Amino acid sequence: MSVPVPFSQFVLKVHSRCDLACDHCYVYEHADTSWRGRPRAAADEVLERAAGRIGEHAATHRLPAVHVVLHGGEPLLAGPARLRRTAELLRAALPQGCVLDLRIHTNGVLLSRRYCDLFVEQDIKVGISLDGDRAANDRHRTFADGRSSHAKVLAALALLREPEYRHLYAGLLCTIDVANDPVAVYEALVAEQPPRIDFLLPHATWDHPPARPEGAGPTPYADWLLTIHRHWTAQGRPVPVRIFDSVHRTLRGRSSLTESLGLDPADLVVIETDGTLEQADSLKTAYDGAPATGFDVFAHSLDDVARHPGMVERQSGLAGLSEQCRGCPVVRSCGGGLYAHRYRTGGGFDHPSVYCGDLLKLITTIRDRVSAPVAVPAQARQPLTDEHLAELARGLGGAGAVGALAGAQLALSRRLVTAVGASGNSPAWQLLVETDTRAPAALDAVLAHPYTRAWAVRSLGGDGGDLGTLDELAAAAAARARTEFELMLPVRSGRLHLPTLGRLRLDGRTRAVLRGDADGLYCGEHTVRWDRPGDHLWQPVRRVALTGWTVALEDVDPQRDSHQWPVAERLADAEFLDWAGALREAWELLGRDLPEYAEGIAAGLGTVTPLAPGPAGRDISAAARQAFGAVGIARPTTSPVLALLLAHEFQHVKLGAVLDLYDLYDKDDQQLYYAPWRPDPRPLEGLLQGTYAHLAVAAYWAGRVRAFDGIRGDAATTARLQLATWRAHTADAIGTLADSGSLTALGLRFVEGMRETLASSLAVPVGAATERAAKEAVAAGLAAWRDAAGRP
């Protein structure tokens, strides 16, 4: 039996007692009592064996990174020496090339400079629990004698904000109490300048429901969070809030940032102080012994744990939810809520969350708040804020800026599809309108698909579009919404296609009737549950779920052939696994070496289309101008090259989206300009696109050079020469753009922004000889171009 999903997240208990007596604690105050029989601190042999098991698992599954949280109880009670030993054992056990993301979650009471210096030494990030201002925090988070812990926690946070420790600060975790003023809680948390805030619903089950104050209404937790969401949005979202960001992402078909939402498979295991291997700690709130697996680090591998029925159930996605959940219109965002919150004696976890009503209201209200502006014509609004434009002008763009681009692109796709389909008033169009009324998020997921717009543009331009695709789009949206429908669809080369979902093999037909309802899709004798694996006739769109990024490997949509290079055919299972592993490694590299570009990629790049291999020795990639959110790549031989291609091509995607909204140059300029990276002259837009893309290339090689600092060898020499060459090319092109005389005021702002960003790459030393060789190569290229063009 294979392992469904390997673990990449580990909670390692280093101490099993706590110096606070929080009455909402799931470890000591809920149903599970296993902590009573466990040692206070993890012994050396437990830590050594735990590290060995994690390293073994990482090597077996070729994991590019593992994420370990040191936990308790209160982990600082383990003391600096034990924490240092734990970090050293974990690093030593990991295979070469596997990165350790090590964090500690603490109440902060004992945090001191001694601990912070240790965390700097061992690169341990610190998360702190804080429930708001003093009044809110002291409702639950006190010492056993009732004393407040608030002042000590604030002192710990002040320490983390000091310049030498600021990079350790991972964020704040706040357990919700609806008796507290939500805005006061939020403002108190923001005042501590956290890099992230995580609001948690208090652990509860159907046996022990959450507190619902009298007169508060049926959904007090949603109302509490939505008050903060409105305030947070009005402030311009000054700090990431995990639950809100997860709702925004899952409504658009992307991965969640928390196990409390979404359908991503669970990939976390807990290692207790005695070496016991358990499921998520939140299960301690269900019943005594709920997290137990019967396994431990001494006698069992982590693959053994992954095959445990409880783990398998939590990795089964939609199929593992209750019947009521599977029929819910927001199930792909909610995911049934936290697994522990579904428990009821006699029925186990086969129930909706005890917070079902709250989650439904939270998600639908955020959906409506977010989707409302999409219906407004782009000409009547300013799609990007000045802050967003400033980020994008520098060649960067975080989640907010890229998310705004995605919203504007979705609005454009809506108008284009309307222009194609509305005039015909066909059954497909009527189904689209009905779906938009009942489940707009389901329709948006289909309209935001990169190749929907590519098809619409071709159709309106008379270049290969067909109304059969409108039928396919309508059916896919209705299937996502789980509404009842019946529609005649085209069968292309023996395949019935549902964009964003997959294709069904139907040999010998040219058209087929597809029916759908809340339970599945039906075509003749075939039944398809599109969100579950089917038989060999159903080929779903496969997605790779990574930490903070989910990307579809699109190898079935007939409209995907929108790039300048031919696409690959459906990937075999082994090829898909190779792609998944390469993407996992490339994403880890991007997060480590190009974090300022990775955030935008996670927010806006949802599709990678495998291309057919190019000429021998040549890496092939492309971005289609009319397919926002997708890039095409022929899988390179190494993951670093894949990381480079992803960053490079997504630059084209971002700038293309900006050019849909703003004029950066005079469209009447017909002159051709020298581009240092290619022999043929380019129009101004082509030069602008290439320069913008090569900012990321220069930044990539700057990261490689930093990684090779002090190291000799061919790889280090290559990195320095590549950096010197690409930054010289990019600097030369920036100068050409600035001197063109054809840029608008905003275009000049983009050029200056690019110049500012390139400065960090120019500041990386590569050696005088390498710098000289690069400049000579650039000068020779320009001279050759001038000779060929007959220019002085």
Side-chain angles (χ1 to χ4, degrees):
M1 180 179 176
S2 61
V3 176
V5 177
F7 298 117
S8 64
Q9 301 185 68
F10 305 89
V11 173
L12 180 56
K13 301 292 188 74
V14 292
H15 202 282
S16 70
R17 301 298 188 270
C18 190
D19 46 1
L20 294 184
C22 307
D23 60 15
H24 55 22
C25 179
Y26 55 83
V27 176
Y28 306 113
E29 302 295 334
H30 283 249
D32 188 77
T33 60
S34 59
W35 63 274
R36 298 179 186 277
R38 292 203 166 106
R40 289 178 175 270
D44 281 350
E45 57 267 27
V46 170
L47 295 175
E48 290 172 7
R49 199 66 182 127
R53 289 299 188 189
I54 293 172
E56 172 186 81
H57 196 69
T60 299
H61 298 282
R62 297 171 56 200
L63 298 179
V66 296
H67 309 272
V68 180
V69 178
L70 305 180
H71 214 285
E74 169 49 52
L76 295 184
L77 289 172
R82 189 169 299 277
L83 294 176
R84 176 182 284 106
R85 176 65 173 158
T86 302
E88 291 171 346
L89 287 170
L90 287 167
R91 277 204 182 81
L94 291 181
Q96 185 176 9
C98 183
V99 175
L100 174 63
D101 174 23
L102 186 56
R103 296 168 185 257
I104 190 167
H105 190 86
T106 170
N107 59 36
V109 168
L110 294 176
L111 192 67
S112 64
R113 291 189 182 278
R114 182 184 181 191
Y115 277 113
C116 286
D117 290 340
L118 168 64
F119 298 157
V120 170
E121 172 196 324
Q122 295 295 329
D123 191 19
I124 303 175
K125 303 297 189 295
V126 185
I128 301 280
S129 293
L130 179 67
D131 287 351
D133 57 16
R134 176 164 181 162
N137 200 65
D138 286 357
R139 282 185 185 273
H140 304 285
R141 305 187 61 78
T142 62
F143 290 94
D145 59 5
R147 286 180 297 123
S148 171
S149 65
H150 190 252
K152 288 184 177 293
V153 179
L154 293 193
L157 292 171
L159 194 58
L160 285 177
R161 290 195 301 273
E162 293 187 8
E164 64 265 43
Y165 303 135
R166 175 73 197 190
H167 67 287
L168 302 175
Y169 195 179
L172 296 177
L173 185 149
C174 170
T175 300
I176 297 167
D177 186 329
V178 293
N180 293 324
D181 182 319
V183 174
V185 167
Y186 167 78
E187 292 291 358
L189 298 178
V190 171
E192 299 305 319
Q193 303 173 28
R196 180 181 297 278
I197 296 172
D198 200 358
F199 290 109
L200 294 184
L201 293 168
H203 287 314
T205 67
W206 289 103
D207 292 348
H208 301 284
R212 297 186 183 276
E214 186 175 351
T219 56
Y221 293 89
D223 298 336
W224 196 91
L225 284 165
L226 288 168
T227 299
I228 292 178
H229 183 268
R230 184 180 289 107
H231 194 68
W232 176 69
T233 302
Q235 289 184 338
R237 303 179 182 179
V239 57
V241 176
R242 192 186 302 269
I243 191 169
F244 298 153
D245 291 338
S246 292
V247 172
H248 294 158
R249 290 171 59 85
T250 54
L251 283 172
R252 284 162 175 76
R254 298 194 175 99
S255 60
S256 174
L257 302 173
T258 169
E259 65 172 332
S260 302
L261 293 169
L263 292 171
D264 301 330
D267 66 345
L268 177 146
V269 66
V270 177
I271 306 174
E272 292 284 356
T273 55
D274 60 358
T276 300
L277 294 161
E278 292 201 337
Q279 301 178 68
D281 263 356
S282 56
L283 286 172
K284 294 179 184 293
T285 200
Y287 58 89
D288 200 5
T293 64
F295 301 132
D296 62 65
V297 294
F298 298 101
H300 304 93
S301 72
L302 290 168
D303 281 3
D304 292 331
V305 186
R307 298 186 186 100
H308 184 274
M311 290 293 189
V312 172
E313 184 174 348
R314 295 175 60 232
Q315 294 180 344
S316 58
L318 194 65
L321 300 184
S322 68
E323 183 178 354
Q324 180 179 337
C325 287
R326 292 197 299 270
C328 177
V330 299
V331 64
R332 300 198 70 79
S333 186
C334 169
L338 191 69
Y339 187 72
H341 295 172
R342 307 172 200 168
Y343 182 75
R344 187 197 298 267
T345 300
F349 299 93
D350 190 26
H351 305 282
S353 169
V354 72
Y355 291 101
C356 178
D358 292 281
L359 292 171
L360 179 63
K361 182 174 183 179
L362 176 69
I363 292 166
T364 56
T365 304
I366 291 177
R367 179 198 67 195
D368 295 342
R369 288 178 183 175
V370 171
S371 63
V374 173
V376 179
Q379 298 90 336
R381 63 187 177 90
Q382 187 73 9
L384 300 179
T385 67
D386 192 69
E387 181 181 350
H388 292 156
L389 280 171
E391 289 179 37
L392 292 163
R394 295 195 302 274
L396 307 175
V402 176
L405 281 179
Q409 290 289 304
L410 175 59
L412 178 56
S413 293
R414 277 182 166 269
R415 294 197 299 276
L416 290 169
V417 172
T418 298
V420 174
S423 60
N425 201 30
S426 64
W429 178 252
Q430 292 302 314
L431 182 57
L432 282 170
V433 172
E434 292 170 12
T435 304
D436 198 20
T437 301
R438 296 176 183 173
L443 179 59
D444 281 350
V446 175
L447 296 184
H449 181 48
Y451 302 116
T452 297
R453 175 174 164 185
W455 159 79
V457 169
R458 284 197 293 267
S459 296
L460 293 171
D463 185 24
D466 66 90
L467 289 179
T469 297
L470 188 71
D471 301 326
E472 295 165 342
L473 294 172
R480 281 180 168 274
R482 298 186 174 277
T483 58
E484 190 170 341
F485 72 95
E486 181 173 312
L487 203 61
M488 180 75 75
L489 299 182
V491 178
R492 309 169 190 272
S493 302
R495 302 288 192 277
L496 182 149
H497 294 270
L498 293 174
T500 74
L501 303 181
R503 68 185 184 185
L504 177 67
R505 180 175 173 179
L506 295 173
D507 293 332
R509 306 194 207 179
T510 58
R511 296 186 70 76
V513 174
L514 182 71
R515 294 183 299 108
D517 58 25
D519 294 322
L521 301 172
Y522 313 93
C523 185
E525 70 275 20
H526 302 286
T527 298
V528 172
R529 270 98 177 152
W530 56 264
D531 49 0
R532 305 186 207 174
D535 61 27
H536 66 285
L537 299 178
W538 170 247
Q539 294 181 328
V541 175
R542 294 171 292 190
R543 290 173 170 81
V544 180
L546 307 171
T547 302
W549 183 38
T550 296
V551 61
L553 273 173
E554 180 57 85
D555 56 2
V556 294
D557 192 329
Q559 306 297 333
R560 74 189 189 280
D561 197 5
S562 301
H563 304 275
Q564 66 197 75
W565 301 98
V567 297
E569 293 303 318
R570 173 73 171 183
L571 300 174
D573 289 346
E575 292 174 311
F576 171 77
L577 291 175
D578 286 341
W579 260 104
L583 282 168
R584 188 178 295 115
E585 294 171 6
W587 180 237
E588 194 65 36
L589 285 171
L590 288 170
R592 185 183 67 198
D593 294 344
L594 290 177
E596 64 274 35
Y597 292 86
E599 183 181 348
I601 289 173
L605 182 59
T607 300
V608 171
T609 297
L611 301 178
R618 182 173 179 183
D619 293 311
I620 299 297
S621 64
R625 182 67 173 79
Q626 302 296 345
F628 177 85
V631 299
I633 297 176
R635 191 170 73 84
T637 54
T638 69
S639 296
V641 173
L642 179 56
L644 175 59
L645 296 179
L646 287 167
H648 173 270
E649 295 301 343
F650 192 65
Q651 291 292 96
H652 288 302
V653 172
K654 285 189 298 187
L655 188 60
V658 171
L659 291 171
D660 283 335
L661 303 172
Y662 301 95
D663 290 328
L664 301 186
Y665 63 94
D666 181 0
K667 301 294 178 62
D668 291 330
D669 184 342
Q670 301 299 311
Q671 185 177 341
L672 297 178
Y673 294 84
Y674 171 63
W677 46 83
R678 55 188 299 164
D680 55 320
R682 304 293 292 154
L684 194 60
E685 180 178 344
L687 181 62
L688 183 62
Q689 282 274 9
T691 308
Y692 198 79
H694 287 121
L695 279 179
V697 175
Y700 171 87
W701 286 113
R704 296 282 82 209
V705 170
R706 292 188 191 99
F708 287 123
D709 185 35
I711 298 175
R712 297 180 179 275
D714 291 344
T717 300
T718 297
R720 294 181 184 109
L721 181 59
Q722 289 286 349
L723 171 59
T725 301
W726 286 111
R727 70 188 185 186
H729 283 340
T730 308
D732 185 73
I734 287 173
T736 302
L737 288 168
D739 295 337
S740 69
S742 294
L743 297 180
T744 65
L746 183 57
L748 287 169
R749 183 178 172 186
F750 264 67
V751 167
E752 290 309 307
M754 289 190 285
R755 196 191 305 275
E756 175 186 331
T757 296
L758 185 64
S760 63
S761 296
L762 289 168
V764 177
V766 296
T770 302
E771 189 70 45
R772 187 167 53 253
K775 289 181 177 179
E776 289 172 356
V778 171
L782 176 58
W785 179 79
R786 285 174 171 166
D787 288 342
R791 299 191 180 190

